[in-house]
Amino acid sequence: MQLVKAHSLLVTAAICGAATAHTTFTNFFVDGAPQGDGTCVRMSHNIQEATYPIRPITSQDMACGVNGNEGVARICPANSGSQLTFNFRIWPDGTNPGSLDKSHKGPCSVYMKKVDDAAADNNAAGPGWFRIFEEDYDNSSGQWCTEKLMANDGKLSVNLPTDLAGGYYLVRPELLALHEADKSPPDPQFYVGCAQIFLQSSGSSVPKDTVSIPGYVDMQDKAMTFNVWNAKGPISFPQFGPPTYKTAASKRDIETRETQLKQTLGLKPANCIMENDNWCGMELPTYADEGGCWATSEKCWDQAKTCYDSAGPVGSKNCRNWESYCDSVKNACGSGNFNGPPSAASFMPAKPAGLSGSVASAPENTESQSSDSGYSKAETAPSTASSSEGDNSATGGSVNTCGSNGGLNAPQLLEPYSVHPTPEPVYATAFHPSYSLQDPASTLYATSLRALPIRLNSPFSPSILASYPLISPTTEEYIAPHSLLFSSHYPNTFFAGSLNLISVFDVNRNGEGPLERMPTIPNKRSKVVGGVGGIKGIVSALGMGSEGILAAGTFSRWVGLYDGYGRGGSLGVFDVRGDTLDQEEASGTGITQVLWSGDGRYLGIAERWSDGISVWDIRGTGKRLAWLRGRNAKTNQRLGFEFVSGEVWAGGVDGKVRVWEGLGMNEGIVDPKWEFKAHDDAVSSTTWHFSGSVLATSSGQRHFNESGCGVADSESQSLPSPSSSSNSGPKIHWPDDSLKTWSF
């Protein structure tokens, strides 16, 4: 993976898109065939506000939305009489379900405008718009049009008039939410966007009764202040805008235009092999020597950068596929295979799903195809799309509307939506494995505080949900665990690591102690720190592998492995100090994190006062495989790291995030492949969203005041004082205590 484009957003990814429950038009279908997420659709460049309603209604944005006067590269073909189905989403990239909040009641319309070139700029706002569909309140079903749209998974379908002149059109779906129209001042909320199409038709009609957008509606229209909450009995909604055009209208209502039979603009390039939004990945040139191989690799990465740079609110899902393809070219060059390029077939995204029950496919136009004689629905195939409709997984894509390039001049700032003050320092935290803001019941996290029971909290509750005492049997004092971990196999249990002990708690047993105590040594009086008898010391880090092996690391620099998802016997112990690969590796002063690779083979280990991360091949050789040096983490503070797609991401005290590539492929001492400046203070954590396209980083540490007084970052266990420490003397430092999310 390479960093193609990143934007720092001071906002938590989970709430960026869902806070407002607004919506936007993201993609459409032609006769049931998907055209691709964002393909042939004009959308806002401001990803954070892409779902916002249009304000004011006199704005030029009323025509095709924010940035709607800018055309996109692709124009999708459709036949006379084709059914167009427009899809609206709360989350433009489809990572979460939902089309519109149920409070957003109101009418729907679809407008069209004939233009010379649907991909050209500055042709949306202004005259020439006519309406082909309108529905408000259905008294027979008792539903507004928007309510029917929600019940249909955000989809609105309309048939194109059969007598329209062939040529280029903008097609504009419009939703009007009236839930705030009765307020003072009134706030009617329009959600609009535009699809760019070429209409293959032998007709010659264009309606005369057209309107200008903006201008077809103003705040004096009764519809703009209609109260949907007090409407009683049969509802008669006041109309606004032009009458709806009907096929075979009276000759006085139409004018005759010369029809265009062949699409020549906005075609899919003939050598386009992968699409994302309106970007096309072009077939790579062949090569037969080393120079040609690396030149082709560079061309591939140039296209990847363009893909990410151009990705809009619907995300960069397929840019990730292209990036993997570029990785294969680069790896072939690196291994001496100079005949290529390799096939892209295995990197192609899944074929997008059409609408259920559709029997026909939309025509696909490329630069190598002719459309002189029209299109046969039965003979043509749907165009390649960016994602599968209805698939809410975002493999390799944007996690939310905080996605790709946004066009932001500065990060967006938000206040925390939940703060839980604690009376004592927090030693450890752990989040429930199914934690999701979409399911409030799953939003649980445990905290360990000095001299208090373990607490269970939720961001949706100001009070403690439950507590679990861990008491010393000899002193009867509360034990504060230095590590916590929810079990992925037993979701109602969590582990707590403390001095010579791993305890297992049941979440449902509020106020009770552990279900099980698992001593890490048979006798705490033993003077041996680790070995056949177990591991001695504070269990400072816990990690569960996909094979059900629990790894426990200690401040004494030993690791113990336990099977049965942590509830079985000991598989063995090892000392991280043995057979060091680098002098710096020997300088660690205690394990702060153990993390398994996704396949459960490799175990990464980080320590305090250490400039690297050691990688152990647990399932293979059982020995240390690599030392990832150059982290710049000489501190007693816990600095987390992350595994993702064969890479290791970790922050340092200099505010930089560094990346090591080829997890499991490199042995010995490995230097970081690249780095970037993320913060102006120590980066305490780097965490990837499961989609693999959004990174969260946090920063902050304790600092001395101007007089040199203060508390250094430390754990409760006594620590050695490395000679390289320079914590004495006055220091002045403006702290950077922040959380950032980054889109890749």
Side-chain angles (χ1 to χ4, degrees), residues 161-418:
T162 57
D163 61 345
L164 289 180
Y168 298 98
Y169 287 84
L170 301 179
V171 189
R172 174 186 178 270
E174 171 191 281
L175 308 183
L176 171 57
L178 296 168
H179 58 293
E180 298 285 341
D182 62 322
K183 301 298 186 290
S184 181
D187 183 23
Q189 297 182 6
F190 282 88
Y191 300 93
V192 303
C194 284
Q196 300 178 173
I197 71 165
F198 177 81
L199 179 62
Q200 175 66 38
S201 172
S202 60
S204 59
S205 300
V206 174
K208 289 181 179 179
D209 195 357
T210 63
V211 295
S212 177
I213 304 178
Y216 74 119
V217 63
D218 60 47
M219 291 302 298
Q220 304 307 312
D221 290 319
K222 293 182 179 180
M224 297 302 100
T225 56
F226 187 84
N227 190 330
V228 295
W229 308 113
N230 290 338
K232 306 290 184 182
I235 295 175
S236 178
F237 181 71
Q239 298 298 306
F240 67 95
T244 301
Y245 175 76
K246 303 294 184 182
T247 297
S250 169
K251 288 185 177 181
R252 67 174 180 268
D253 298 326
I254 61 174
E255 60 183 66
T256 301
R257 297 269 188 96
E258 182 179 351
T259 193
Q260 294 171 265
L261 297 177
K262 182 177 180 180
Q263 179 179 352
T264 59
L265 304 171
L267 298 166
K268 175 182 173 181
N271 57 345
C272 173
I273 60 174
M274 194 180 298
E275 299 173 82
N276 187 83
D277 207 328
N278 291 282
W279 169 88
C280 264
M282 310 302 286
E283 188 174 353
L284 298 177
T286 58
Y287 52 84
D289 55 36
E290 183 175 5
C293 186
W294 289 113
T296 296
S297 177
E298 184 176 355
K299 286 183 173 66
C300 191
W301 286 110
D302 287 344
Q303 291 195 60
K305 182 179 186 304
T306 302
C307 183
Y308 282 107
D309 287 350
S310 62
V314 294
S316 53
K317 305 177 185 70
N318 294 353
C319 300
R320 296 284 295 171
N321 291 68
W322 184 264
E323 184 178 348
S324 297
Y325 178 43
C326 295
D327 271 331
S328 73
V329 177
K330 180 188 69 174
N331 294 337
C333 297
S335 63
N337 182 2
F338 302 135
N339 289 289
S343 171
S346 61
F347 302 98
M348 296 300 293
K351 187 177 180 180
L355 294 178
S356 59
S358 63
V359 295
S361 297
E364 177 177 337
N365 253 5
T366 68
E367 292 174 347
S368 61
Q369 290 178 310
S370 170
S371 55
D372 287 325
S373 58
Y375 299 94
S376 169
K377 294 182 181 178
E379 295 175 352
T380 54
S383 60
T384 304
S386 305
S387 68
S388 297
E389 177 62 27
D391 180 5
N392 289 329
S393 65
T395 304
S398 296
V399 298
N400 57 18
T401 54
C402 297
S404 314
N405 64 339
L408 298 178
N409 294 322
Q412 183 178 356
L413 301 175
L414 291 182
E415 293 297 321
Y417 68 94
S418 179

Side-chain angles (χ1 to χ4, degrees), residues 55-112:
R55 295 188 179 100
I57 64 173
T58 55
S59 165
Q60 288 199 346
D61 296 338
M62 280 289 287
C64 288
V66 176
N67 303 119
N69 255 334
E70 300 177 27
V72 296
R74 294 288 304 282
I75 301 173
C76 292
N79 288 320
S80 172
S82 283
Q83 183 186 71
L84 300 189
T85 301
F86 308 98
N87 193 31
F88 284 81
R89 295 172 179 163
I90 292 176
W91 296 78
D93 61 357
T95 52
N96 286 286
S99 57
L100 193 64
D101 187 85
K102 63 182 180 181
S103 66
H104 288 40
K105 305 173 186 290
C108 316
S109 293
V110 178
Y111 289 76
M112 295 181 69

Side-chain angles (χ1 to χ4, degrees), residues 497-685:
S498 55
L499 179 62
N500 305 328
L501 181 67
I502 299 174
S503 304
V504 184
F505 290 84
D506 186 338
V507 173
N508 297 316
R509 298 191 177 188
N510 182 18
E512 297 186 19
L515 291 173
E516 184 178 358
R517 291 174 180 256
M518 302 186 300
T520 59
I521 55 172
N523 186 344
K524 69 178 182 178
R525 295 180 181 179
S526 172
K527 296 182 180 181
V528 179
V529 175
V532 177
I535 53 175
K536 185 177 182 179
I538 290 178
V539 178
S540 51
L542 294 168
M544 186 74 73
S546 59
E547 299 293 320
I549 300 177
L550 174 69
T554 68
F555 282 145
S556 58
R557 306 188 71 193
W558 281 78
V559 175
L561 303 175
Y562 305 87
D563 65 3
Y565 292 92
R567 307 290 293 275
S570 172
L571 296 175
V573 300
F574 61 90
D575 183 358
V576 299
R577 293 172 292 189
D579 300 325
T580 55
L581 299 170
D582 185 84
Q583 185 62 35
E584 288 292 336
E585 188 178 5
S587 66
T589 62
I591 296 172
T592 56
Q593 185 180 2
V594 290
L595 182 66
W596 291 93
S597 60
D599 59 4
R601 175 169 180 173
Y602 303 106
L603 182 67
I605 301 172
E607 296 192 72
R608 300 177 300 191
W609 212 267
S610 173
D611 261 348
I613 298 166
S614 59
V615 178
W616 292 69
D617 187 355
I618 301 298
R619 212 172 63 190
T621 64
K623 298 180 180 180
R624 179 187 285 103
L625 176 70
W627 168 247
L628 312 182
R629 70 177 178 187
R631 183 183 182 186
N632 195 357
K634 288 294 187 73
T635 177
N636 289 327
Q637 182 178 350
R638 292 175 184 258
L639 302 184
F641 68 94
E642 179 86 326
F643 289 151
V644 59
S645 301
E647 298 173 348
V648 183
W649 291 62
V653 295
D654 56 356
K656 292 183 179 181
V657 173
R658 293 175 174 86
V659 182
W660 294 261
E661 295 184 350
L663 176 64
M665 300 174 61
N666 299 311
E667 298 183 14
I669 299 172
V670 182
D671 292 315
K673 189 70 174 180
W674 54 277
E675 63 186 38
F676 69 96
K677 182 75 170 179
H679 295 269
D680 293 322
D681 215 330
V683 179
S684 54
S685 180

Side-chain angles (χ1 to χ4, degrees), residues 431-466:
F431 287 83
H432 195 274
S434 62
Y435 192 107
S436 172
L437 289 177
Q438 305 304 312
D439 179 13
S442 71
T443 57
L444 303 175
Y445 71 92
T447 56
S448 166
L449 280 68
R450 182 176 62 190
L452 288 172
I454 302 168
R455 295 181 170 189
L456 188 70
N457 291 90
S458 168
F460 297 109
S461 173
S463 58
I464 302 170
L465 300 180

